[in-house]
């Protein structure tokens, strides 16, 4: 073998040995580096989650503390309050027709849990609405035997009591009774006088109107009777 060939083979063996020394440990080193990076990432993530969790709890605690410290604002002492009331009752034979606390001669009456006074129910709801209170159905539910056949005067008086307790007096009331029959014009003044008594109001601030429904729908077909009312309350110190 020539000296050149011996030299080449020696160089090749040296290169292979050196390559083997460089290449063999590489997978181990890469894996170890990867595991180190993964562990480091997990540690950072756990730390981040822990910080976020702590921050969230701290924030929630802070918000709850501030919310507890803030008191609900007092309701505004409005100079005027306006309320609207509406009611409708089915007409049926075998019942008395009572409107505004006055019994009206007719062949049918209002089918209801109480006496079915459509006007007084409407006025009660108008007062409660102006005061932002629960409606008549919530205060005097029709599944409560206490109110079975009860006079609707009770409901109006309770609404007037709540109006006074809130510091208001009646400004004015405008009512519209809608019925095809009977004709209510002959009874309007009697109804108004009784309503003034219940509301402790002067006749000049109580208005009663009566309309037919032009034979349209259940009211026009004499199967029901309806009523609307709008009321204004005035703060006592301004009346």
């Amino acid at each position: 073998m020539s000296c050149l060939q011996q030299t080449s083979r020696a160089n090749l063996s040296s290169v292979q040995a050196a390559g083997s020394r460089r290449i063999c440990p590489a997978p181990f080193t890469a894996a170890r580096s990867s595991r180190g990076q993964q562990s480091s990432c997990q540690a950072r993530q756990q730390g981040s989650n822990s910080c976020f969790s702590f921050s969230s709890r701290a924030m929630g605690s802070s918000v709850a503390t501030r919310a507890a410290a803030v008191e609900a604002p007092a309701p505004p002492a409005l100079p005027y309050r306006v309320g609207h009331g509406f009611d409708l009752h089915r007409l049926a034979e075998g019942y008395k027709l009572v409107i505004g606390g006055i019994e009206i001669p007719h062949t049918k009456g209002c089918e209801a849990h109480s006496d079915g006074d459509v006007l007084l129910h409407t006025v009660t709801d108008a007062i409660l609405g102006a005061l932002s209170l629960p409606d008549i159905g919530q205060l005097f539910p029709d599944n409560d035997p206490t109110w079975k056949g009860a006079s609707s005067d009770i409901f109006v008086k309770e609404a007037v009591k709540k109006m006074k307790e809130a510091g208001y007096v009646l400004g004015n009331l405008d009512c519209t009774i809608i019925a095809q029959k009977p004709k209510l014009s002959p009874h309007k003044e009697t109804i108004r006088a009784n309503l003034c008594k219940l509301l402790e109001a002067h006749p000049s601030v109580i208005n009663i109107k009566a309309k037919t429904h032009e034979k349209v729908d259940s009211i026009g077909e004499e199967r029901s009777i309806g009523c609307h009312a709008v009321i204004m309350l005035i703060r006592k110190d301004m009346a």
Side-chain angles (χ1 to χ4, degrees):
M1 180 180 298
S2 65
C3 293
L4 180 60
Q5 289 178 331
Q6 289 178 354
T7 302
S8 297
R9 286 180 181 176
N11 290 340
L12 178 59
S13 297
S14 176
V15 170
Q16 288 177 343
S20 176
R21 285 194 300 271
R22 288 196 300 270
I23 294 172
C24 289
F28 172 77
T29 303
R32 183 170 57 188
S33 176
S34 176
R35 285 196 297 271
Q37 291 175 357
Q38 184 176 7
S39 299
S40 177
C41 289
Q42 288 176 346
R44 287 197 300 272
Q45 185 176 5
Q46 289 174 356
S48 177
N49 290 342
S50 176
C51 292
F52 177 77
S53 177
F54 174 78
S55 177
S56 298
R57 288 196 300 270
M59 184 181 296
S61 176
S62 176
V63 170
T65 302
R66 288 197 300 270
V70 177
E71 296 182 359
L78 300 175
Y80 306 100
R81 283 180 173 270
V82 177
H84 171 261
F86 169 75
D87 198 20
L88 183 142
H89 283 300
R90 183 182 292 107
L91 291 172
E93 295 180 356
Y95 294 89
K96 293 180 180 180
L97 181 60
V98 181
I99 299 177
I102 305 300
E103 186 174 339
I104 308 297
H106 192 46
T107 57
K108 298 178 180 179
C110 290
E111 185 179 343
H113 185 65
S114 62
D115 63 1
D117 193 324
V118 69
L119 175 58
L120 295 191
H121 291 183
T122 300
V123 171
T124 299
D125 250 353
I127 297 173
L128 295 174
L131 296 171
S132 298
L133 294 176
D135 61 36
I136 187 173
Q138 293 174 277
L139 296 180
F140 309 100
D142 59 8
N143 56 3
D144 187 342
T146 304
W147 314 118
K148 178 67 176 177
S151 171
S152 295
D153 293 11
I154 299 171
F155 309 148
V156 175
K157 290 176 181 178
E158 181 63 22
V160 170
K161 177 184 175 183
K162 291 182 179 298
M163 176 184 71
K164 291 179 178 179
E165 290 174 347
Y168 289 87
V169 296
L170 177 65
N172 72 296
L173 172 69
D174 185 30
C175 306
T176 303
I177 307 167
I178 311 170
Q180 195 64 35
K181 288 184 180 180
K183 293 294 183 182
L184 297 177
S185 296
H187 309 285
K188 282 170 59 177
E189 289 306 315
T190 306
I191 292 172
R192 180 161 75 162
N194 192 57
L195 195 54
C196 288
K197 180 181 177 181
L198 292 173
L199 296 173
E200 304 174 18
H202 192 273
S204 64
V205 299
I206 304 295
N207 189 42
I208 304 291
K209 305 190 296 294
K211 304 286 184 181
T212 68
H213 215 245
E214 299 297 332
K215 299 182 179 181
V216 176
D217 296 338
S218 63
I219 295 178
E221 294 170 358
E222 302 176 40
R223 294 186 288 111
S224 64
I225 182 172
C227 184
H228 288 270
V230 177
I231 195 168
M232 182 174 71
L233 307 183
I234 302 175
R235 206 170 62 206
K236 283 181 182 179
D237 60 355
M238 296 185 61

